[in-house]
Amino acid sequence: MTEFLILAFLFLAAGAVAVPLASRLGLGSVLGYLVAGIVIGPALDTLGVDVVSIQHFAEFGVVMMLFIVGLELEPSKLWSMRMRLLGLGGFQVIATALLISSALLFLGQAWETALTVGLILSLSSTAIVLQTLNEKKWLGTEGGQASFSVLLFQDIAVIPMLAVIPLLAIHDLVADEPTGSPSHEADYNLIASLDGWHQAGATIAAIAIIVIIGNYLSRPIFRYIASAGLRELFVATALITVIGMALLMTFVGLSPALGAFLGGVVLANSEYRHELESDITPFRGLLLGLFFITIGASIDFGLLKSEFELIFLATISLLLIKVVVLLVVSFVFKINKQDRWLFCLGMAQAGEFGFVLLSFSVANHVMPQGLADQLLLVVAMSMLLTPMLFIFYDKVIVTHFNKSQGGEPDEFEESSGVIIAGHGRFGSVVDRMLRAGGFGTTVLDYDAANLDVLRQFGIRAFFGDATRPDLLQSAGIQNARVLVITLNERDQISALAAYVKKTFPHVAVIARAIDHTHDHDLKLIGCDAVVRETLAASIEIGTLAFERLGVPVDQALEYGRIFSEEETSFLDAMSQYHEMNRAPLENELYLAKAQEMLDEHVNRLQSRFGAGISETNASDAKSSPD
């Protein structure tokens, strides 16, 4: 018990000290955990701690992370990504594996070993990349989405790798048992003794079980657990769900990460999705932190010191090869320049599955233990260098592209009464209307080329990110009467509206809503007025359709006005049942009220339309020469 407490204290204290310090220096949490592991490594050696065993336990953090990633992916969305997955991911893995294998063949390695090493080093670190992209809010960018697609393909590609590697066993290595401890994962493969067809059938059955549980059994199970009203019981059930699905895949010889990912995907449409995510996230964070600490602690500094030149050269060569391959992929798939570098630099390292696959390769006599030890250092070193590459991207690449777009935000003159955030196809119309009415506007936009055109027409436009508080204050938000938000990104609109209503409550905020759910969110935030971006255009099209169907112009316009009033009234009434950032389909109360009120809404529309028709007919009869 005392040994366990000492270990727990060491790991937690190391993370608690190193991570905030690394984050404050702009290095990110991953590098903080890695450095913490390096610092406490000697103490762990003194205590005789088996770091590798702890690392295997901590790898479950990666499994949990893939479960949460799956929760964010609806099956329809995953299917829509199929071309990007196969194109980006397939090209990257195959091209990287071939280049690395060719280099090793040239250096005299057996083709089986060369191919295995190429496949292993073609993988990138899902844990590091996704963790960093989430922390930096880069996951939604084109480079972030491309990285996610490749990582997802790589995680799936681990499965055939695990199947192929044992077939590459080298006879000379079979004669000599490796000095490392053999893997016992195969002991839990319940279908290893079956023939190929039966193994395939068992695998399909296991996947089908996960789909059935996720789609049909999860709701009654979670509803039953939730009825107890004990949060800890729900947390336990969430953990059972992830562990069970991972274990099921292990029993049929597949990756536990795949089981967790599939489980997340089939539960993506569940009303319990957000609760599951919130319950799993703390465990995922702790285990991922522990995983990165064990990577730092497992670095063999003796071997590193004696073969530093070789290992350093191999690490740099690996990073360069992967960057070159990723650059080619980014050109083929037309990823833009700034996002291209995020994609290439962020994905250049080897992945955490490398630790597992290298051990698996030694146990299956595909490579000697000495080579595996060297490659373990290469994998660890490449992961250690990755946060530095992200820092280089953030501080150098992003700064360079920002300067090329127009440099630092512009200096502002005296503030006008109206600030417009965003001057695209939506904001430009608002700007022209207000200026025509004699009101001065201050336009904030992040597209320098667009602003150069606007300034030629005498429009008061300034370069900068409107979501930055310091830029807003420079633009005079404290003295403004109205803020019009016409940005394109849903999250940016919501964040900006929330900040201004909280910090400058005197400013009237009029915001563009992407859809009716966003409309509800913005009203809950406290926006003074919210306009759905497609509503007015849709009503105008409906009005024109009425005219073409023979309805008099005045009456068609009246129909449009009536529909706009009733639609706004209906949405306002439904807002009180909406929950922030929660889809209507996940809100049972919202759905019930919508079904209850929709018939009344339609009847009222028909009644007002009918009254309008009667009044029009009476008016026509009065004005008739008869």
Side-chain angles (χ1 to χ4, degrees):
M1 181 65 178
T2 303
E3 183 181 351
F4 170 78
L5 291 175
I6 291 173
L7 284 178
F9 177 80
L10 271 176
F11 283 116
L12 292 173
V17 172
V19 173
L21 182 60
S23 299
R24 180 169 294 184
L25 295 173
L27 304 179
S29 64
V30 173
L31 186 57
Y33 284 123
L34 292 172
V35 171
I38 292 172
V39 171
I40 67 171
L44 297 178
D45 288 339
T46 302
L47 294 171
V49 176
D50 186 355
V51 176
V52 175
S53 297
I54 297 176
Q55 190 176 95
H56 289 326
F57 169 74
E59 282 169 5
F60 193 65
V62 180
V63 173
M64 288 184 168
M65 182 182 64
L66 287 173
F67 176 76
I68 292 177
V69 169
L71 283 176
E72 300 296 329
L73 275 181
E74 297 179 8
S76 57
K77 184 177 179 181
L78 187 61
W79 177 250
S80 69
M81 292 173 61
R82 64 190 184 280
M83 296 305 295
R84 202 169 178 85
L85 283 174
L86 295 173
L88 278 169
F91 189 100
Q92 182 274 323
V93 169
I94 293 172
T96 305
L98 287 176
L99 283 174
I100 294 174
S101 299
S102 300
L104 289 173
L105 281 172
F106 178 77
L107 294 173
Q109 290 291 341
W111 73 266
E112 297 93 340
T113 302
L115 177 59
T116 301
V117 173
L119 291 172
I120 292 172
L121 296 184
S122 70
L123 304 177
S124 302
S125 174
T126 301
I128 288 180
V129 177
L130 285 187
Q131 181 97 339
T132 306
L133 291 177
N134 276 314
E135 282 183 4
K136 299 287 188 179
K137 309 298 182 187
W138 291 334
L139 190 56
T141 64
E142 185 181 4
Q145 287 297 295
S147 300
F148 175 77
S149 298
V150 173
L151 289 170
L152 188 53
F153 179 87
Q154 290 177 355
D155 291 335
I156 297 171
V158 170
I159 300 157
M161 289 183 192
L162 288 168
V164 168
I165 286 174
L167 303 178
L168 300 176
I170 299 174
H171 178 74
D172 291 342
L173 294 177
V174 175
D176 301 321
E177 281 296 316
T179 57
S181 300
S183 171
H184 297 291
E185 290 297 320
D187 295 347
Y188 298 101
N189 185 348
L190 303 182
I191 64 171
S193 59
L194 301 179
D195 59 43
W197 286 106
H198 287 92
Q199 286 189 17
T203 301
I204 294 172
I207 294 174
I209 290 172
I210 290 178
V211 173
I212 291 170
I213 291 175
N215 283 327
Y216 302 106
L217 299 181
S218 62
R219 283 178 174 84
I221 291 172
F222 285 122
R223 194 177 298 120
Y224 171 74
I225 297 298
S227 66
L230 297 174
R231 180 173 174 80
E232 61 270 23
L233 194 59
F234 198 95
V235 172
T237 308
L239 290 172
I240 290 171
T241 302
V242 181
I243 295 171
M245 291 177 172
L247 202 56
L248 183 59
M249 287 294 100
T250 302
F251 287 157
V252 295
L254 298 180
S255 164
L258 175 65
F261 173 74
L262 288 176
V265 171
V266 297
L267 288 170
N269 290 321
S270 169
E271 62 267 31
Y272 297 101
R273 185 186 77 188
H274 294 296
E275 183 67 23
L276 284 168
E277 184 173 356
S278 65
D279 289 339
I280 294 295
T281 297
F283 296 95
R284 179 208 64 173
L286 282 172
L287 287 174
L288 277 179
L290 180 60
F291 175 73
F292 291 127
I293 289 175
T294 58
I295 290 175
S298 62
I299 294 177
D300 186 343
F301 285 99
L303 179 60
L304 181 62
K305 183 178 179 180
S306 63
E307 301 185 16
F308 178 79
E309 292 83 0
L310 174 63
I311 292 167
F312 181 76
L313 179 62
T315 303
I316 298 301
S317 300
L318 170 64
L319 295 175
L320 289 175
I321 288 173
K322 297 190 80 169
V323 166
V324 169
V325 171
L326 290 163
L327 273 173
V328 173
V329 172
S330 68
F331 275 110
V332 172
F333 286 86
K334 299 179 180 178
I335 300 172
N336 69 49
K337 293 180 180 178
Q338 180 173 324
D339 288 306
R340 176 182 301 155
W341 287 107
L342 173 61
F343 176 58
C344 296
L345 295 175
M347 296 285 293
Q349 77 292 125
E352 55 275 348
F353 279 117
F355 298 108
V356 179
L357 292 174
L358 285 170
S359 174
F360 184 73
S361 300
V362 172
N364 284 277
H365 317 294
V366 180
M367 71 175 68
Q369 184 67 49
L371 177 61
D373 290 339
Q374 292 173 332
L375 291 174
L376 282 171
L377 281 173
V378 171
V379 172
M381 288 286 288
S382 70
M383 293 173 76
L384 276 170
L385 290 173
T386 298
M388 302 297 183
L389 295 178
F390 275 119
I391 292 169
F392 177 79
Y393 168 79
D394 193 17
K395 304 298 184 184
V396 178
I397 303 295
V398 173
T399 301
H400 168 73
F401 280 101
N402 283 348
K403 284 182 178 178
S404 67
Q405 286 187 346
E408 293 298 317
D410 295 323
E411 294 294 328
F412 293 92
E413 305 162 15
E414 185 180 351
S415 171
S416 61
V418 180
I419 297 175
I420 300 177
H423 198 277
R425 53 189 171 81
F426 202 93
S428 61
V429 175
V430 179
D431 179 46
R432 291 202 306 272
M433 283 184 65
L434 291 173
R435 286 189 295 108
F439 292 94
T441 61
T442 297
V443 175
L444 305 179
D445 199 281
Y446 211 41
D447 186 341
N450 182 39
L451 295 185
D452 287 340
V453 175
L454 296 178
R455 284 168 178 164
Q456 291 178 12
F457 288 92
I459 296 174
R460 179 187 169 92
F462 300 92
F463 176 81
D465 182 358
T467 61
R468 281 175 44 187
D470 58 334
L471 184 72
L472 278 175
Q473 293 191 24
S474 297
I477 188 66
Q478 62 273 16
N479 299 318
R481 295 168 57 191
V482 177
L483 170 67
V484 180
I485 306 176
T486 61
L487 300 171
N488 292 320
E489 296 296 328
R490 179 193 190 111
D491 291 342
Q492 288 184 336
I493 295 170
S494 298
L496 178 55
Y499 169 75
V500 172
K501 290 310 296 182
K502 180 180 179 181
T503 313
F504 306 100
H506 69 279
V507 178
V509 175
I510 303 172
R512 164 194 190 179
I514 304 302
D515 52 35
H516 73 277
T517 306
H518 194 209
D519 182 294
H520 293 327
D521 285 345
L522 292 171
K523 286 174 180 172
L524 287 177
I525 286 171
C527 289
D528 298 87
V530 179
V531 179
R532 279 164 56 193
E533 62 180 8
T534 57
L535 182 59
S538 301
I539 292 174
E540 183 177 354
I541 290 174
T543 301
L544 292 171
F546 274 132
E547 292 178 21
R548 297 301 183 274
L549 291 169
V551 176
V553 175
D554 290 346
Q555 189 59 46
L557 291 172
E558 179 65 8
Y559 283 173
R561 187 190 65 79
I562 291 172
F563 185 88
S564 179
E565 283 182 3
E566 292 295 334
E567 183 75 0
T568 302
S569 175
F570 176 69
L571 282 176
D572 286 344
M574 291 304 304
S575 291
Q576 62 183 306
Y577 305 108
H578 174 71
E579 295 181 23
M580 182 70 73
N581 297 322
R582 186 177 182 189
L585 291 177
E586 300 170 0
N587 187 337
E588 294 180 0
L589 177 60
Y590 184 94
L591 287 175
K593 288 295 181 181
Q595 292 168 353
E596 177 185 320
M597 297 173 64
L598 192 57
D599 289 339
E600 181 184 344
H601 171 60
V602 173
N603 290 335
R604 192 164 54 248
L605 267 176
Q606 291 175 341
S607 174
R608 292 190 66 183
F609 275 18
I613 291 172
S614 300
E615 290 171 8
T616 302
N617 291 339
S619 175
D620 289 345
K622 225 179 253 187
S623 60
S624 172
D626 297 338

